[in-house]
Amino acid sequence: MTTHGDSATRSGAPAVAARSGSATGDDDRPATSAEGLPAALVDLRAAIGAARFPLALPSAEPARRTATGLTDQLDDYLLPRLARLDAPLLVVVGGSTGAGKSTLVNSLVQARVSAAGVLRPTTRSPVLVCNPADSAWFRQGELLPGLTRTNEPSDKPGTLHLVTAPALPAGLAFLDAPDIDSVVDANRALAGQLLAAADLWLFVTTAARYADAVPWELLRSARARGTAIAMVLDRVPPEAADEIAAHLSEMLAAQDLGAAPLFVLPETWVDGQGLLPDRVTAPLGAWFGRLAADAEARSAVVRQTLDGAIGALHPTVDALADAADEQVAAADALDERVRAAYRAAERTVDHGLKDGRLLRGEVLARWQEFVGTGEFFRTLEARIGRLRDRMVAAVTGRPAPAAELRTAIESQLVTLLRGVATEAAENAYTGWKAHPAGAALLEPELAHASADFAERAERMVRDWQRGVLELVRAEGGDRRFVARTAAYAVNATGLAVMIAVFASTAFIPTGLEVATGAGTTVAAQAVLQAIFGDQAVRNLASKAREDLLDRVTTLLAEEAARFLDRTGAARPAAETGGTLRRAAVEVEKARHRSGLSGAAGAALPAADQDGGR
Ligand SMILES: Nc1nc2c(ncn2[C@@H]2O[C@H](COP(=O)(O)OP(=O)(O)OP(=O)(O)O)[C@@H](O)[C@H]2O)c(=O)[nH]1
Ligand SMILES: [Mg+2]
């Protein structure tokens, strides 16, 4: 026999693929053409395992739980069961705490295999009891591979206590589960997991508890899945038996569970061993005995439950796919809020360069200082060549104003950039805050521009200024005035180009609006006019402007990335939903081809003995 470690069986694919071949090849196995089904389920398992729901949408937590439930069920039950259709029938005994589940199991196998007690809930880790002949199958851990098998009762979570009982016929095993409506979360979750691995659910309730809501919820969903269900109404006072049984039957019929065999057990005393008297459990014991003896009936039960569970995958996986699509849509929506905020920031810079707002205050003052006094320029001819000569001359003697103008340009631009970066961060932050998934991704520092933004903006502007000088040098290389290659000529022209970028298109060709509006001197106006009138400067300015906007785009993209990286890290693959849906459709097709569904209908024998119905 091959032994599979937990990890091998958990991972599913290789172990299942290996098993399914031999399982279907054996002659003594039920003849289903299930070859395609395990493969389709393995694919579905992989798709569900890969699905992520990281964004905090209302649908995310339920989806995560559903995904875990589905992968558990595939690993715990569907895949191993499909690979071994002839394995012993697993009856999971489930119901409310204190209903007498453990006592019932002990009584049915005639041994105290599971502790029964007055402290609620008593059963915290599950106990599986089977005939010694079947213990190898349950021990090898194909079924419920995540539970560690123990030979002793254990309080450790994640264990399954295995016990053999010769009084129990081969082919049938009982799993005593923790209470399904437990106040202990772990108990409830485990009970749900175990029920999902049941070939048959023996639902145990009492005369006092049978109308409780939670079990009915679970019963309904088990019924919807087509799980084989048998019912035990325990501890019924003999005088009320008829009335209670009738009421429960009505409830069962109303829930479309009328076909489930129902056993009514009268209230009685437990013996010194904590076991129920034989006469009380006899009808139930006999019913299980018949089921154990009838391989065909057992196989029908297994196939009914298996087919129902596999059939129920499709709608559940569809819901999962919807949740996955929601994740992608939410990530897109969050990204769009950020992009919109930073696009607006870029637009503001773009407008700022166009509307002349940068050509004010300090920049304008330094510009005027740079080009000189009215005295100096009164004699200036509008011819650009002459102008440049003058400017060179002016700068030659006075380098300080050039440096100051450059600094003024830098700080003016940085101020604008800081403003737009702050506003964009605020807008992106608010946009995310108003979105449940966005709010969960926010950090307080995202409400502002990056701490080092001013520093990076300054560096960017200086790089741009250097770039403008490079441009002047390269573009004007063959021109008369730069041919002199005087550093000051390049410097002066570069600054004029930067000013031209600031004054930009709105003021070309006159440039007078800004100059006059800002109260500049006649000389400065003349210079502006001269500059804007020169095609070469205009070409340079338009290139410099593009270069500046490119650099602004990069700078702001780095800012936006602080947000976008978060959605990027959380973003589920766009095709998750589609992959899930396709995988579910393939499973559904394979299920129909498999012939499993032929077993649908009342596979369970009727409870036709005394005390049964
Ligand atoms: N008198 C009487 N006591 C019973 C009967 N069935 C169970 N008990 C007692 O009721 C208590 C609870 O029974 P358990 O078998 O532990 O109940 P359980 O459903 O396994 O409970 P949890 O493990 O907590 O979910 C124990 O003290 C049993 O001895 C019965 O038919 N008659
Ligand atoms: Mg118990």
Side-chain angles (χ1 to χ4, degrees):
M1 180 185 37
T2 327
T3 50
H4 295 278
D6 281 358
S7 60
T9 42
R10 267 286 164 196
S11 68
V16 169
R19 285 198 308 260
S20 63
S22 64
T24 48
D26 285 356
D27 291 337
D28 57 348
R29 306 255 156 82
T32 58
S33 54
E35 289 89 347
L37 192 49
L41 285 171
V42 167
D43 286 349
L44 178 64
R45 165 70 176 84
I48 298 170
R52 295 283 174 272
F53 308 90
L55 295 174
L57 295 172
S59 61
E61 186 48 39
R64 280 193 284 267
R65 270 202 306 274
T66 303
T68 306
L70 286 173
T71 49
D72 279 352
Q73 195 191 18
L74 281 157
D75 294 342
D76 288 346
Y77 179 66
L78 298 177
L79 289 167
R81 183 33 117 180
L82 201 57
R84 279 290 307 272
L85 285 171
D86 63 338
L89 185 93
L90 182 63
V91 180
V92 175
V93 182
S96 310
T97 186
K101 300 182 294 297
S102 301
T103 302
L104 189 63
V105 169
N106 291 342
S107 306
L108 284 169
V109 304
Q110 293 293 300
R112 281 190 62 129
V113 293
S114 182
V118 285
L119 286 176
R120 297 274 75 80
T122 306
T123 307
R124 284 167 182 267
S125 49
V127 181
L128 192 150
V129 50
C130 63
N131 183 276
D134 291 333
S135 85
W137 159 250
F138 290 111
R139 188 170 299 279
Q140 83 191 50
E142 304 275 308
L143 211 67
L144 294 164
L147 299 181
T148 307
R149 274 54 172 171
T150 64
N151 293 321
E152 301 296 327
S154 169
D155 278 346
K156 275 219 210 102
T159 57
L160 178 62
H161 179 202
L162 280 186
V163 195
T164 55
L168 184 62
L172 189 73
F174 288 113
L175 200 164
D176 184 19
D179 47 328
I180 52 172
D181 50 356
S182 190
V183 289
V184 183
D185 281 354
N187 263 15
R188 220 172 40 238
L190 180 58
Q193 187 187 357
L194 297 175
L195 283 175
D199 292 316
L200 166 63
W201 180 8
L202 184 66
F203 175 67
V204 182
T205 185
T206 62
R209 306 285 304 269
Y210 72 91
D212 287 3
V214 175
W216 282 99
E217 199 71 45
L218 287 165
L219 277 171
R220 259 193 298 278
S221 72
R223 170 75 197 90
R225 281 201 306 272
T227 307
I229 298 170
M231 315 268 301
V232 171
L233 182 59
D234 211 357
R235 312 191 63 165
V236 181
E239 65 281 4
D242 286 351
E243 190 192 328
I244 294 175
H247 185 211
L248 178 56
S249 294
E250 255 171 52
M251 288 179 75
L252 287 170
Q255 301 294 337
D256 198 21
L257 280 159
L262 169 64
F263 297 88
V264 179
L265 273 55
E267 172 64 298
T268 179
W269 294 105
V270 295
D271 66 13
Q273 288 268 68
L275 304 184
L276 299 168
D278 230 9
R279 60 178 169 81
V280 168
T281 53
L284 190 56
W287 185 80
F288 275 121
R290 286 207 307 287
L291 191 58
D294 186 344
E296 216 162 283
R298 271 186 288 133
S299 162
V301 170
V302 168
R303 295 163 83 190
Q304 174 196 324
T305 297
L306 199 49
D307 183 64
I310 295 172
L313 292 174
H314 193 191
T316 316
V317 172
D318 268 356
L320 212 54
D322 290 346
D325 287 349
E326 271 185 49
Q327 290 275 320
V328 175
D332 287 345
L334 290 177
D335 282 358
E336 183 44 35
R337 284 174 196 208
V338 173
R339 293 215 170 87
Y342 284 90
R343 265 200 308 273
E346 277 188 58
R347 264 200 310 274
T348 307
V349 174
D350 189 28
H351 290 159
L353 291 180
K354 277 182 184 146
D355 65 13
R357 87 173 65 150
L358 292 167
L359 200 51
R360 281 185 197 131
E362 189 71 5
V363 172
L364 194 56
R366 296 292 155 240
W367 167 243
Q368 286 166 359
E369 197 179 290
F370 175 60
V371 297
T373 61
E375 259 299 292
F376 184 80
F377 278 99
R378 224 182 321 267
T379 57
L380 190 73
E381 288 183 25
R383 272 190 51 241
I384 191 70
R386 288 287 299 277
L387 160 71
R388 285 171 185 145
D389 290 346
R390 297 286 186 175
M391 280 164 57
V392 170
V395 173
T396 307
R398 299 186 296 147
E404 278 167 20
L405 173 57
R406 221 173 135 164
T407 308
I409 289 173
E410 180 192 316
S411 82
Q412 184 83 306
L413 264 177
V414 169
T415 303
L416 174 72
L417 291 170
R418 286 176 79 165
V420 298
T422 301
E423 194 182 343
E426 278 167 13
N427 287 340
Y429 188 93
T430 326
W432 273 25
K433 204 164 181 189
H435 192 295
L441 292 176
L442 284 175
E443 301 281 347
E445 72 262 22
L446 288 175
H448 318 285
S450 311
D452 64 347
F453 181 79
E455 207 177 294
R456 286 189 294 120
E458 279 161 21
R459 202 179 318 129
M460 183 279 271
V461 172
R462 283 198 296 272
D463 286 349
W464 171 69
Q465 289 178 325
R466 261 194 295 281
V468 172
L469 297 187
E470 284 300 315
L471 195 66
V472 169
R473 225 172 262 128
E475 301 267 322
D478 57 342
R479 286 168 191 272
R480 181 167 47 90
F481 81 100
V482 190
R484 294 171 190 163
T485 60
Y488 287 132
V490 171
N491 203 14
T493 314
L495 286 165
V497 167
M498 289 171 213
I499 290 298
V501 168
F502 277 18
S504 207
T505 48
F507 305 97
I508 292 173
T510 71
L512 286 174
E513 294 89 338
V514 64
T516 316
T520 185
T521 62
V522 177
Q525 284 175 41
V527 172
L528 273 177
Q529 259 184 298
I531 287 169
F532 298 135
D534 185 76
Q535 189 57 43
V537 173
R538 277 161 64 170
N539 288 347
L540 286 173
S542 118
K543 281 188 183 152
R545 181 173 190 281
E546 259 170 52
D547 182 33
L548 178 58
L549 287 175
D550 281 351
R551 290 174 195 265
V552 168
T553 302
T554 308
L555 185 72
L556 290 176
E558 286 162 15
E559 288 294 286
R562 298 181 305 150
F563 290 90
L564 299 177
D565 287 351
R566 275 159 212 266
T567 36
R571 177 182 281 280
E575 67 275 11
T576 305
T579 307
L580 283 168
R581 284 190 194 90
R582 271 193 306 281
V585 167
E586 288 310 314
V587 164
E588 196 50 17
K589 280 194 213 152
R591 180 175 77 95
H592 283 296
R593 277 199 306 270
S594 73
L596 267 183
S597 49
L604 283 176
D608 55 2
Q609 302 282 300
D610 284 351
R613 184 193 55 165

